[in-house]
Amino acid sequence: GGVDGGAESGPVTPATQIACGFWRACVLRSDGTVSCWGDAAPDLPKGTFTKIAVGVSVCGLRATGEMECWGWGTFDGKAQPGRYSDLSINMQSGCGTKIDGSIDCWYWNGGGGIESEPPPPVPVRDVVAGGNPCGLHITDSAPICWGAS
């Protein structure tokens, strides 16, 4: 397991990102390692990450841009293929900005699988996963929400 109970001995590696989700919080440290706390905190994968996102599951981006998801929940072991520069997940949906600038959004279909849902063609400044399964893109003008609901 890689669950960090919060009490550390020795030098503490500074955090570069904190992400909170359902029942847990995780921190990305300056050395690329991840620590998580809370109920149902996931076993942590080996290696380093450049960004993390926490919903029910935890997903992280490797230096290559590849996504890896772990922990109990919707996306456990079900990372989206491709290379990403940004990602956001929540309870049942997620969105990511791919290295080429395109946006990919996906959601739990309730039947055991993950389905993709393309966003509307708008200029994107930031990507945030919203409700079930609503993706929210913040553009230069106003937030845009879409999804199967």
Side-chain angles (χ1 to χ4, degrees):
V3 177
D4 190 338
E8 298 188 32
S9 60
V12 176
T13 306
T16 59
Q17 182 190 355
I18 298 171
C20 299
F22 295 90
W23 309 297
R24 71 183 59 94
C26 295
V27 63
L28 176 65
R29 300 186 183 282
S30 61
D31 64 2
T33 59
V34 177
S35 295
C36 293
W37 301 265
D39 291 344
D43 285 341
L44 303 174
K46 296 193 182 316
T48 60
F49 294 87
T50 60
K51 183 168 180 87
I52 57 172
V54 180
V56 174
S57 302
V58 179
C59 294
L61 295 181
R62 300 282 188 179
T64 60
E66 293 174 303
M67 183 187 311
E68 184 172 344
C69 297
W70 64 92
W72 179 87
T74 307
F75 301 122
D76 181 20
K78 297 178 178 78
Q80 290 298 97
R83 294 178 49 210
Y84 293 82
S85 62
D86 196 11
L87 79 153
S88 178
I89 63 170
N90 69 13
M91 187 168 167
Q92 294 183 352
S93 64
C95 290
T97 304
K98 290 192 169 186
I99 298 290
D100 66 7
S102 65
I103 303 299
D104 187 20
C105 290
W106 56 93
Y107 64 95
W108 177 254
N109 67 13
I114 304 293
E115 294 185 27
S116 290
E117 180 150 350
V122 295
V124 174
R125 185 179 72 214
D126 192 17
V127 61
V128 179
N132 298 333
C134 181
L136 177 67
H137 281 217
I138 302 171
T139 67
D140 289 337
S141 56
I144 296 176
C145 192
W146 79 98
S149 59

